[in-house]
């Protein structure tokens, strides 16, 4: 959902077989009937151009497509952008007003952006390896920050300049692992819930891990230092976080009791 240049809300809904669109007939007013907006797909995101016109992006089996407003109530045809098939999508605007789009599926993550305000899009760039969910927001100074999940936790990557990015890093102490599944319906339902959660995490990341504008950005510890999660250090940290209680060593499990076999996955790679 987004607001139009005249203040009317516009809603877009997508499932595996159909794409719908409805809008307020007046600002703060009643709603239109649903209108067909295209065929089915996997996920969608919508954003504003610098001139206020809405642009919608949707993913499906052959990649990502976009459609944009050509007037107050008129739209272009769908146009292919390529990119990762059947991907989860998110978008945000850079400090100069260009839309930037991020896509992730189980194999890869990709990134494309407008080459100028209100203009076309660049070729897709690799943004990492696969995952289960993605969300983007911007810092107080306007730099975009992207969060993504995979089975080992939640990761983030942030703009260091107009077109440069940090490496991926675990967000604080990694967070919950997000399990992959081969059941697409289960994946879609779970990811819609996770999208709301990652949006909240995105806000939390700004409060916890983003330095003041102009200062150096704090880096989380190396993943090898914080994984597996069930170490003596992490247990002490959890006890301190719960009302300041000291650890009860009688209840601690033996070192390595919950350690997963194998070494941690450094994800995503750029």
């Amino acid at each position: 959902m987004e607001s139009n240049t005249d203040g009317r809300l516009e809603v877009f809904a997508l499932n595996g077989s159909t794409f719908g669109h409805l809008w307020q007939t007046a600002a703060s007013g009643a709603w239109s009937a649903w209108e067909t907006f295209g065929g089915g797909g996997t996920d969608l995101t919508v954003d504003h151009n610098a001139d206020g016109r809405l642009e919608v992006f949707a993913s499906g089996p052959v990649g990502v497509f976009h459609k944009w407003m050509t007037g107050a109530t008129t739209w272009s045809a769908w146009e292919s952008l390529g990119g990762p098939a059947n991907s989860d999508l998110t978008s945000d605007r850079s400090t100069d007003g260009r839309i930037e789009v991020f896509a992730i599926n189980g194999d890869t993550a990709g990134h494309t952006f407008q080459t100028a305000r209100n203009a076309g899009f660049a070729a897709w760039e690799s943004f990492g390896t696969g995952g289960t969910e993605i969300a983007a927001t911007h810092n107080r100074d306007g730099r975009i920050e992207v969060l993504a999940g995979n089975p080992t936790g939640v990761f983030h990557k942030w703009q260091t300049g107009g077109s440069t990015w940090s490496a991926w890093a675990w967000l604080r102490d990694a967070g919950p692992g997000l399990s992959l599944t081969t059941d697409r319906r289960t994946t879609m339902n779970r990811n819609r819930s996770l999208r709301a959660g990652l949006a909240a995490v995105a806000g939390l990341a700004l409060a916890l891990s983003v330095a003041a504008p102009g200062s150096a950005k704090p880096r989380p510890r190396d993943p090898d230092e914080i994984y597996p999660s069930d170490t003596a250090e992490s247990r002490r940290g959890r006890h301190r976080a719960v009302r300041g209680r000291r650890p009860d060593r009688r209840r601690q499990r033996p070192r390595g009791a919950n350690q997963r076999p194998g070494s941690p996955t450094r994800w995503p790679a750029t």
Side-chain angles (χ1 to χ4, degrees):
M1 179 171 66
E2 276 289 358
S3 56
N4 206 330
T5 52
D6 59 8
R8 293 178 299 109
L9 298 179
E10 305 222 10
V11 177
F12 306 89
L14 175 71
N15 63 22
S17 57
T18 190
F19 201 155
H21 169 221
L22 84 165
W23 58 92
Q24 286 180 320
T25 55
S28 305
W31 292 89
S32 70
W34 282 97
E35 181 181 87
T36 299
F37 204 65
T42 304
D43 196 20
L44 71 92
T45 186
V46 56
D47 224 309
H48 290 94
N49 280 277
D51 60 11
R53 292 176 301 112
L54 298 182
E55 191 148 357
V56 180
F57 306 84
S59 63
V62 294
V64 180
F65 289 75
H66 67 142
K67 187 172 185 173
W68 58 94
M69 296 186 83
T70 56
T73 59
T74 57
W75 292 83
S76 72
W78 284 104
E79 182 178 281
S80 175
L81 284 176
N86 293 323
S87 53
D88 287 298
L89 300 176
T90 189
S91 60
D92 204 353
R93 282 191 296 164
S94 60
T95 53
D96 60 6
R98 294 177 299 108
I99 298 173
E100 306 215 13
V101 180
F102 308 88
I104 196 168
N105 61 21
D107 301 314
T108 189
H111 169 219
T112 186
F113 47 88
Q114 286 181 316
T115 55
R117 296 191 305 169
N118 309 314
F121 284 81
W124 286 88
E125 296 180 350
S126 175
F127 207 64
T129 55
T132 55
E133 185 60 88
I134 195 165
T137 189
H138 53 269
N139 290 280
R140 185 173 61 180
D141 60 10
R143 292 176 300 112
I144 298 174
E145 188 142 356
V146 180
L147 293 94
N150 85 340
T152 63
V154 179
F155 297 76
H156 65 147
K157 185 171 184 171
W158 55 93
Q159 279 184 320
T160 55
S163 59
T164 57
W165 292 82
S166 72
W168 283 102
W170 257 340
L171 183 62
R172 306 292 288 188
D173 291 331
L178 308 178
S179 299
L180 293 167
T181 176
T182 56
D183 185 332
R184 182 173 176 275
R185 289 174 299 176
T186 302
T187 302
M188 290 178 65
N189 291 335
R190 187 198 63 243
N191 283 350
R192 275 148 179 77
S193 298
L194 289 173
R195 181 170 295 106
L198 275 178
V201 172
L204 180 62
L206 305 186
L208 294 180
S209 66
V210 177
S215 62
K217 188 175 185 70
R219 299 281 296 190
R221 292 177 295 167
D222 186 88
D224 292 331
E225 297 177 29
I226 62 174
Y227 184 93
S229 61
D230 194 36
T231 62
E233 179 185 355
S234 64
R235 287 196 296 271
R236 286 195 295 271
R238 287 198 296 271
H239 280 288
R240 285 196 297 268
V242 182
R243 300 181 182 177
R245 289 202 301 265
R246 300 183 64 182
D248 183 354
R249 300 188 182 280
R250 293 172 300 176
R251 300 176 61 186
Q252 292 181 7
R253 282 170 277 189
R255 182 183 295 273
N258 283 349
Q259 184 165 348
R260 303 173 189 172
S263 60
T265 301
R266 292 183 178 271
W267 179 94
T270 54

